[in-house]
Amino acid sequence: MSLYGMMRTGVSGMNAQATRLATVADNIANSSTTGYKRSRAEFSTLVIPNSGSSYVSGGVKSAVQTAISSEGVLQYTTSSTDLAVSGNGFFIVQDASGSVFMTRSGNFVPDGEGRLVNAAGYQLLGYDAADGTPSATANGFAGLEPVIIRQTAFRATASTEGLFSANLPRDAQIVTAGNLPSDNSGTTSTFTAKSSLVAYDNLGGERMLDIYFTKTADNTWEVSIFDRAASTNGGFPYTGGALETIELTFDPANGQLASGSDTSISVAVPGGATLEIDLSGMSQLAEDYMLVDAGANGNPPSSIETIEIGQDGTLYAQYDDGTFRALYRVPLATVPSPDRLQVLPGNVYAQSADSGPVRVGFPNEGQLGSIVSGALESSNVDIATELTTMIESQRSYTANSKVFQTGSDLMDLLVNLKR
């Protein structure tokens, strides 16, 4: 029985070393795979109970462990959609069937439909941020959707906020009622100063707004805004009259807006939204009319030019007019024991009974790491270590085969003793 146990032990040793060599083969083959985590074979003894002076050998058991929590070195690239995790966490991806997994492989590129897909064909998932800052579903993947970047998508934004700052001349002549811009007379309307401001409607069309400033009394000014498209000659009269009219009053002691004066004007842009123009920077000093600053938000139809991804996972689209817009926010997932995750083909991982439950959050929150755009995480394989392990396993396999061969020879001798 001891000879049989000896042969069985030799076989278990060869099997264990074969498993170790298999992990070495995978590690070397994937040494250049983005985000790959090396596997290693760990051994434990298999002891059979013995009694008396006879010893029955047991053997060795092997178990494969994957160093998922061990980070690889970051290699920087020129693509903003190449992503790496610095610290704890995994990207959340899905396959073509919609099954969700975790990965550290962040070599994402847009496919024909604009979805960000890595080299294994898994689609990056995120939360839609177009309507405001999203919140993460802490204990699951609900609410996630594929990140889609359509380079041909056009976007127009209506103007909602504006700024106008200028100096109004203190010594300007007073214009009497009946001759004011707000009276909209084609022959008698008089004003002190005029400027124009470009705003955008809901479809991105330009709307030229004519702004008139008229002194109506000491330290008192009328501000009237008209739609230039409502005028046939670029001036009075404007069809439909003024879009909005307010009154500014100034403190004669310092030339700044007096307490209680209007500091902004709200204008309903034709075909657009309500535009709130900040006038708090207006002044009345002993100087000619001088424009200091003016502008309004919004933009004409424009397409995506580049993509930028922040460390907090926010994916911004930069349009060809220079504006930015948050499209998605990319979360990270983690588990209490990453090294116990189930390893699946395509360099992805799934929750297992030993890994603990999945937790989802945004980068830089809690124990989650940050996202690095324009970088990829290298595999954590060290070729020198793998070659050393391969030589050790080869020699150990040979030694175990000698044990089996010796046991076989002795078994033949024992069987032939009666001859």
Side-chain angles (χ1 to χ4, degrees):
M1 190 65 180
S2 295
L3 290 178
Y4 174 74
M6 174 184 176
M7 295 170 63
R8 183 187 58 210
T9 300
V11 170
S12 72
M14 287 188 289
N15 285 334
Q17 295 304 324
T19 299
R20 192 182 187 194
L21 285 168
T23 62
V24 170
D26 252 356
N27 292 339
I28 293 177
N30 287 279
S31 60
S32 298
T33 300
T34 299
Y36 175 78
K37 303 301 181 181
R38 67 179 296 268
S39 297
R40 65 180 185 273
E42 297 292 343
F43 304 140
S44 60
T45 58
L46 178 61
V47 178
I48 295 177
N50 291 277
S51 60
S53 60
S54 176
Y55 181 82
V56 179
S57 60
V60 61
K61 295 191 299 182
S62 62
V64 177
Q65 297 181 352
T66 304
I68 299 175
S69 59
S70 175
E71 292 186 53
V73 177
L74 296 188
Q75 300 288 339
Y76 290 90
T77 72
T78 58
S79 174
S80 62
T81 59
D82 281 339
L83 303 178
V85 179
S86 178
N88 296 326
F90 301 86
F91 297 113
I92 304 172
V93 295
Q94 72 176 20
D95 61 12
S97 67
S99 300
V100 180
F101 306 95
M102 295 173 284
T103 187
R104 298 275 291 198
S105 180
N107 45 354
F108 296 104
V109 294
D111 65 4
E113 298 181 8
R115 297 171 298 188
L116 290 185
V117 179
N118 67 11
Y122 289 93
Q123 306 164 19
L124 178 66
L125 300 182
Y127 294 104
D128 190 348
D131 296 326
T133 303
S135 58
T137 304
N139 62 340
F141 303 124
L144 290 168
E145 59 184 66
V147 174
I148 301 177
I149 303 170
R150 293 186 175 90
Q151 296 290 346
T152 57
F154 280 83
R155 178 184 71 101
T157 305
S159 298
T160 56
E161 296 179 357
L163 170 69
F164 198 96
S165 177
N167 179 68
L168 303 177
R170 180 194 62 182
D171 300 326
Q173 292 185 351
I174 295 174
V175 178
T176 59
N179 301 315
L180 298 173
S182 58
D183 295 321
N184 196 28
S185 171
T187 56
T188 63
S189 291
T190 305
F191 57 90
T192 306
K194 173 187 175 183
S195 290
S196 297
L197 188 69
V198 174
Y200 297 96
D201 61 24
N202 293 331
L203 301 181
E206 290 188 359
R207 289 285 183 169
M208 191 70 73
L209 303 179
D210 291 336
I211 307 177
Y212 292 92
F213 297 92
T214 310
K215 188 174 183 179
T216 58
D218 289 339
N219 307 311
T220 304
W221 292 73
E222 177 190 270
V223 182
S224 294
I225 299 182
F226 294 82
D227 178 16
R228 180 176 293 183
S231 172
T232 58
N233 58 6
F236 301 104
Y238 291 85
T239 303
L243 298 177
E244 188 61 52
T245 299
I246 63 167
E247 186 175 85
L248 300 180
T249 56
F250 292 90
D251 186 342
N254 55 26
Q256 305 303 310
L257 288 174
S259 175
S261 171
D262 288 326
T263 58
S264 65
I265 183 170
S266 296
V267 181
V269 178
T274 299
L275 172 62
E276 185 80 11
I277 303 176
D278 182 6
L279 300 175
S280 60
M282 299 293 295
S283 64
Q284 178 193 256
L285 302 173
E287 184 60 76
D288 293 337
Y289 176 74
M290 182 181 299
L291 178 64
V292 178
D293 193 10
N297 65 354
N299 62 269
S302 55
S303 60
I304 296 175
E305 187 173 80
T306 60
I307 294 296
E308 292 189 11
I309 303 173
Q311 291 189 347
D312 64 350
T314 303
L315 187 150
Y316 297 95
Q318 182 180 11
Y319 291 83
D320 52 19
D321 64 350
T323 60
F324 286 84
R325 183 186 184 190
L327 300 182
Y328 295 92
R329 194 168 183 194
V330 179
L332 296 177
T334 188
V335 293
S337 181
D339 290 341
R340 295 289 187 174
L341 286 169
Q342 182 183 4
V343 182
L344 298 171
N347 207 10
V348 296
Y349 311 102
Q351 176 185 337
S352 70
D354 296 328
S355 68
V358 172
R359 292 289 181 262
V360 178
F362 291 119
N364 296 323
E365 292 181 357
Q367 296 181 345
L368 292 173
S370 60
I371 290 180
V372 182
S373 177
L376 294 174
E377 182 182 1
S378 302
S379 72
N380 59 2
V381 174
D382 179 39
I383 292 293
T385 300
E386 299 304 321
L387 292 175
T388 301
T389 302
M390 181 172 62
I391 295 172
E392 291 176 353
S393 297
Q394 179 187 12
R395 292 179 176 176
S396 182
Y397 189 96
T398 301
N400 278 283
S401 69
K402 291 295 184 181
V403 171
F404 180 85
Q405 186 177 15
T406 300
S408 177
D409 291 342
L410 293 176
M411 184 66 75
D412 286 342
L413 179 62
L414 179 62
V415 170
N416 292 325
L417 282 178
K418 67 177 182 178
R419 296 179 182 178

